[in-house]
Amino acid sequence: MTSIYSPGSPIFLPNGARIFNRLIEYLRKQYVHYGFQEVITPTIYKKALWAKSGHLENYADDMFTVTSTSPSRADVTEAGEVDEYGLKPMNCPGHCLIFAAQKRSYRDLPIRYADFSPLHRNEISGALSGLTRVRRFHQDDGHIFCRPNQIEDEISKTLEFIRRVYKDFRLGSYRLKLSTRPENYMGSLEDWEHAEGSLKRALDTSGEPWTLNEGDGAFYGPKIDVILKDSDGKEHQTATIQLDFQLPKRFELEYQAPAPELEAKGETTTDPELLAVSGPVRPVMVHRAVLGSAERMFALLTEHFNGKWPFWLNPRQGIVLTVNDSEPVLQFARKTQRVLLGTDSADVHVSPSGLAVDLDDSARSLSLKIREAKTKGYGMIIVVGPKDVANGTVAVDATGGFQTGDKPAQKNLVMAPEELLQFMKAKSIPYNLTHSSPMDPTEPAPENVPGYIAAARRHGIPLRQSAPIRRGPMPLQLPILEHLRTKRVILASASPRRKALLNQLGLDNVEIFPSDKPEDVEKGKITPEEYVAETARRKILHVYEQALRQQEEDEKKKEIERPADPALVISADTVIATRSGRILEKPRDEQDHIRMLKHLRDTRVHRVLTAVCVLAPKDNLAHPGYELETHVEDTEVYFAQAKDGLPDDVIEAYVKTREGADKAGGYAIQGVGGMVLVEKIEGSVDNVIGLPVRKTLQLAEKVIFKQGIDDDDIGSDEEDDEDEEPYRD
């Protein structure tokens, strides 16, 4: 609500305050992840501060002036004038004061401050509109003080922060707008061009579409704005990222760094003479807000959800209804409410649950109370009757607590109040802040579940597990396997999944010997099939030579008989190719992994090519050497799409698991391929996991048992390909 006594200043009632506080608390938890430290700063500052920051010159019309009504209590300047104060419209000058309060080293940067203090801007009365245009508001304000060479990384992290938050709120698509130098700008043209270039490069790296808005930047620097549409199609600017070279100059901010002249240009050096000299360097300031105005975001979310709030944001998470007004029913209903609120204990040190649970113990009919509760949008309706009192349980309708895309809830759950408390607490955690909360209280909580599996379950995504290898008689009784189990077998790969596939065949003697040879084959001059075959061949030859060399060294050191040569060396390499024949680059770091997996999801169909290469030394000692065979398996993979229920947080959680980290040099699809990311496979599932097992064994038979025999004498594999794979269900 609003009041004529404070136009443009929203008044939040209890339910609104609950939503507002949950928005803020959600961001506080995100700040831990993104390295922000929360500070609290004054609401008013002297006019001298605003003159120093440039706001008095460029922003005075939008500021409120504060003076004392008591001359005897007014502050007086050195000139004898009454000192005026200004209500802060922004937090940045206060954060500059904090940065300047102590000496800083380049090792301290980046420093990230966050502030939820209320801001005041003197909007004209005719422009005021509900929660979207106000005079008093709260901004999830943040400022990053960083080195010049950290700018693009900080901008990229902030764009990722925005993408993550808006995904959690399920706000759909948004557009990015880069606003450049206005007419009344501060600073040099060179600084502006540098700042605008940094933002453009960060936007290009993000992969998100963006547009240019010439001349609409802030007076102190260019900015990136996030534009959202409301339910009526009207656009609102919400999040913002602004680069500022001016305020650090005005406040004379600095940090100490070696080779200061190069540091100021964002350049590095290894010259010991230059590094021996340290000096002051001006930091760069990044202004950022993810929600923008919390009030404006509140309004957009209200329209977006249309009263059907996600459970964790819902101000009416549950209501306890009584079947009748008998004393046992009333007492148990009140006890249930206290249990859910976390106030049932006499110990005042026990923390409340934080849930919002109401009680309706009126003498009205149950059907009327249920209808009213559904109309008001309660997430869970909890009914207490005489039978519930006798059993110590309650009946729960949880269908109001699930949003589109969640796992469907059961309508008639029966559980004890204490069990219900745990169920509601699990659901009250935003999606990417929990790791293993079960969505259904009838299912046991699994132990040590990877984050991406927990995230998938939270969204109700089916885990598309690939079929296991069939062992037949345990283990498989095949001539080639019987032979290899007593020999030395080397896998030229660090992939734990490839090793696991061979272990499942009974080859527990497999040695991991990863190749460190760089993949320096030019992609543009050969086909993807030729490329992956060549990289697998180079790996296996490199590892074979390394293994023989290591044997010789061990023999010399230990003065023992030379160990047996490897009976078989196996290597494999996987690439993902588009239908047009372009090979996707393998990601270099965690963020590359996330971007690539999202690209696979959003572009739907790709080819996964795995080359398996096997090598065995020749039996004929008169003609030393080796036999080598290569096969390329081509599988068309249909990746799940966002609309099929594969949100960003599932992908992010997968890449952040150890399983994802193990794929630091590859595509990171093997672990998630059969579980979440891949929807349909046309071809070998084992190929997507990382090693076509059947073809590997066939090639091993050829290089060991059939040395010197031509393919024409062996016969074609085509007939076998028509049958079901002999090593799989």
Side-chain angles (χ1 to χ4, degrees):
M1 63 173 279
T2 57
S3 169
I4 59 172
Y5 299 106
S6 186
S9 298
I11 299 173
F12 285 94
L13 301 180
N15 284 335
R18 287 173 180 171
I19 297 174
F20 181 90
N21 288 333
R22 284 177 185 151
L23 289 175
I24 301 303
E25 186 59 31
Y26 165 82
L27 284 173
R28 283 196 169 110
K29 292 178 179 178
Q30 296 287 359
Y31 284 165
V32 176
H33 180 77
Y34 287 95
F36 282 87
Q37 304 172 79
E38 189 175 344
V39 296
I40 301 173
T41 51
T43 302
I44 61 173
Y45 291 97
K46 287 185 177 181
K47 185 170 66 175
L49 179 75
W50 304 115
K52 186 173 185 177
S53 68
H55 287 86
L56 202 62
E57 178 185 353
N58 296 278
Y59 208 76
D61 291 343
D62 295 300
M63 294 179 62
F64 286 100
T65 299
V66 180
T67 57
S68 174
T69 58
S70 174
S72 63
R73 298 185 181 185
D75 292 334
V76 180
T77 66
E78 294 180 358
E81 299 177 353
V82 175
D83 210 349
E84 291 184 347
Y85 285 77
L87 283 174
K88 67 176 177 183
M90 302 172 183
N91 286 308
C92 35
H95 292 182
C96 287
L97 294 178
I98 296 174
F99 185 92
Q102 64 186 80
K103 292 183 178 180
R104 309 287 181 176
S105 164
Y106 72 97
R107 296 186 181 92
D108 300 328
L109 273 58
I111 294 174
R112 308 179 185 95
Y113 294 133
D115 200 329
F116 291 109
S117 304
L119 305 177
H120 294 80
R121 296 181 185 175
N122 191 14
E123 302 282 357
I124 58 176
S125 58
L128 299 178
S129 176
L131 291 173
T132 59
R133 197 77 170 185
V134 294
R135 286 176 173 166
R136 181 186 187 272
F137 63 98
H138 297 76
Q139 194 172 48
D140 62 312
D141 210 0
H143 294 95
I144 304 167
F145 298 91
C146 65
R147 302 165 64 186
N149 62 4
Q150 295 171 333
I151 292 174
E152 291 180 37
D153 187 46
E154 290 301 312
I155 299 295
S156 296
K157 287 179 180 177
T158 304
L159 287 170
E160 181 62 32
F161 189 177
I162 292 170
R163 183 161 43 243
R164 178 176 184 173
V165 170
Y166 283 39
K167 185 67 177 178
D168 273 1
F169 289 142
R170 300 180 177 181
L171 286 170
S173 60
Y174 53 82
R175 66 183 183 91
L176 299 173
K177 180 177 67 174
L178 173 60
S179 299
T180 56
R181 186 180 70 254
E183 292 183 3
N184 62 330
Y185 67 91
M186 286 170 36
S188 68
L189 186 60
E190 182 183 1
D191 284 345
W192 275 85
E193 289 176 346
H194 183 196
E196 290 172 1
S198 296
L199 292 183
K200 288 177 180 178
R201 286 190 294 274
L203 284 168
D204 290 337
T205 303
S206 74
E208 299 282 349
W210 59 277
T211 57
L212 191 64
N213 187 25
E214 295 277 4
D216 199 36
F219 64 88
Y220 48 77
K223 61 178 182 174
I224 299 171
D225 289 329
V226 172
I227 309 298
L228 271 177
K229 283 186 179 181
D230 62 21
S231 56
D232 295 326
K234 182 180 178 182
E235 290 190 329
H236 299 271
Q237 183 257 310
T238 52
T240 186
I241 306 171
Q242 302 174 6
L243 201 56
D244 190 348
F245 290 89
Q246 309 309 322
L247 277 184
K249 288 182 180 179
R250 285 180 166 256
F251 282 87
E252 300 177 339
L253 304 182
E254 60 183 35
Y255 64 94
Q256 295 292 317
E261 292 185 3
L262 293 177
E263 173 76 12
K265 298 177 182 178
E267 300 175 3
T268 59
T269 181
T270 57
D271 188 330
E273 292 186 7
L274 294 175
L275 293 174
V277 179
S278 292
V281 183
R282 194 81 66 202
V284 178
M285 189 176 186
V286 180
H287 308 249
R288 74 103 194 98
V290 176
L291 298 184
S293 160
E295 284 79 359
R296 180 179 297 171
M297 181 58 70
F298 190 115
L300 294 174
L301 290 172
T302 300
E303 292 188 353
H304 179 70
F305 292 120
N306 195 25
K308 297 179 180 178
W309 293 92
F311 188 80
W312 67 276
L313 271 178
N314 196 339
R316 295 185 171 106
Q317 291 175 317
I319 185 169
V320 181
L321 307 179
T322 54
V323 172
N324 57 44
D325 58 357
S326 65
E327 192 59 27
V329 169
L330 293 177
Q331 287 185 4
F332 190 66
R334 291 164 186 162
K335 176 180 175 59
T336 298
Q337 184 193 30
R338 292 196 302 271
V339 168
L340 298 179
L341 293 175
T343 60
D344 193 45
S345 173
D347 186 354
V348 295
H349 299 291
V350 175
S351 300
S353 66
L355 297 171
V357 182
D358 297 324
L359 171 67
D360 185 351
D361 57 0
S362 64
R364 298 178 299 163
S365 69
L366 179 62
S367 60
L368 180 60
K369 290 192 280 189
I370 290 175
R371 185 161 60 249
E372 183 180 272
K374 289 183 176 180
T375 302
K376 290 183 176 180
Y378 279 96
M380 296 189 188
I381 299 174
I382 304 139
V383 177
V384 175
K387 292 183 179 179
D388 301 302
V389 175
N391 296 328
T393 59
V394 293
V396 184
D397 180 352
T399 53
F402 289 74
Q403 295 294 302
T404 303
D406 286 342
K407 181 177 177 180
Q410 294 185 18
K411 186 173 182 179
N412 298 310
L413 298 173
V414 177
M415 62 185 80
E418 293 76 13
E419 294 174 317
L420 178 58
L421 171 62
Q422 298 306 315
F423 179 48
M424 294 179 72
K425 287 174 70 174
K427 282 194 55 57
S428 65
I429 303 174
Y431 297 114
N432 64 14
L433 298 180
T434 184
H435 298 287
S436 59
S437 300
M439 291 295 295
D440 189 339
T442 61
E443 296 179 1
E447 297 181 1
N448 301 320
V449 172
Y452 72 94
I453 295 181
R457 287 175 175 167
R458 284 196 301 277
H459 290 287
I461 301 172
L463 299 180
R464 309 170 181 92
Q465 177 65 63
S466 57
I469 296 175
R470 186 180 66 197
R471 297 189 181 183
M474 303 293 282
L476 284 174
Q477 302 300 322
L478 298 173
I480 185 62
L481 291 176
E482 290 286 340
H483 174 78
L484 292 176
R485 285 177 190 135
T486 61
K487 303 294 182 181
R488 188 180 179 204
V489 179
I490 291 178
L491 176 62
S493 171
S495 168
R497 290 192 168 269
R498 287 175 177 147
K499 183 175 185 294
L501 285 168
L502 295 174
N503 290 158
Q504 289 180 22
L505 295 172
L507 294 178
D508 298 324
N509 56 325
V510 173
E511 298 177 28
I512 294 292
F513 204 131
S515 169
D516 56 3
K517 187 174 181 61
E519 297 176 3
D520 54 358
V521 183
E522 288 192 48
K523 298 183 178 68
K525 296 183 178 181
I526 54 178
T527 66
E529 290 85 354
E530 292 170 334
Y531 172 84
V532 72
E534 180 62 19
T535 56
R537 190 184 70 83
R538 292 191 183 191
K539 283 181 181 180
I540 203 167
L541 292 176
H542 178 68
V543 166
Y544 183 54
E545 292 170 2
Q546 290 284 91
L548 295 180
R549 190 177 301 116
Q550 182 175 313
Q551 285 179 196
E552 292 175 356
E553 292 175 359
D554 291 344
E555 184 178 1
K556 291 177 182 178
K557 290 178 183 178
K558 300 177 182 178
E559 297 181 354
I560 60 175
E561 184 180 351
R562 176 186 173 91
D565 289 346
L568 184 72
V569 183
I570 303 170
S571 75
D573 193 27
T574 300
V575 298
I576 300 178
T578 64
R579 286 184 166 180
S580 63
R582 182 175 66 87
I583 298 174
L584 299 185
E585 292 291 337
K586 294 182 179 179
R588 296 162 297 185
D589 54 36
E590 188 175 276
Q591 290 304 316
D592 267 3
H593 276 272
I594 292 172
R595 281 192 288 270
M596 190 215 66
L597 293 177
K598 290 177 183 177
H599 169 74
L600 294 178
R601 174 195 67 188
D602 297 336
T603 50
R604 188 62 169 161
V605 184
H606 283 294
R607 295 164 60 214
V608 175
L609 301 172
T610 295
V612 59
C613 190
V614 298
L615 178 151
K618 287 189 175 182
D619 290 335
N620 189 348
L621 298 179
H623 300 282
Y626 53 81
E627 293 278 339
L628 187 146
E629 290 290 337
T630 304
H631 169 77
V632 177
E633 191 85 9
D634 187 345
T635 302
E636 195 164 70
V637 176
Y638 293 77
F639 293 94
Q641 295 179 290
K643 67 179 182 180
D644 299 325
L646 184 60
D648 289 354
D649 63 314
V650 177
I651 292 175
E652 292 163 4
Y654 168 68
V655 173
K656 294 178 189 299
T657 62
R658 183 63 200 161
E659 191 169 42
D662 284 339
K663 302 289 176 283
Y667 291 103
I669 66 164
Q670 285 90 352
V672 76
M675 298 291 289
V676 175
L677 188 67
V678 174
E679 181 174 326
K680 185 175 70 172
I681 294 174
E682 292 185 357
S684 169
V685 175
D686 288 342
N687 182 30
V688 179
I689 295 175
L691 187 70
V693 177
R694 173 174 174 267
K695 187 56 68 174
T696 301
L697 295 180
Q698 288 178 341
L699 295 180
E701 286 180 333
K702 183 174 181 181
V703 298
I704 293 176
F705 293 158
K706 302 174 182 177
Q707 292 186 6
I709 303 177
D710 293 334
D711 287 343
D712 293 338
D713 298 328
I714 297 173
S716 173
D717 293 330
E718 295 297 325
E719 294 181 4
D720 292 337
D721 289 342
E722 296 177 3
D723 299 328
E724 186 179 3
E725 297 180 8
Y727 310 127
R728 298 183 52 79
D729 283 337

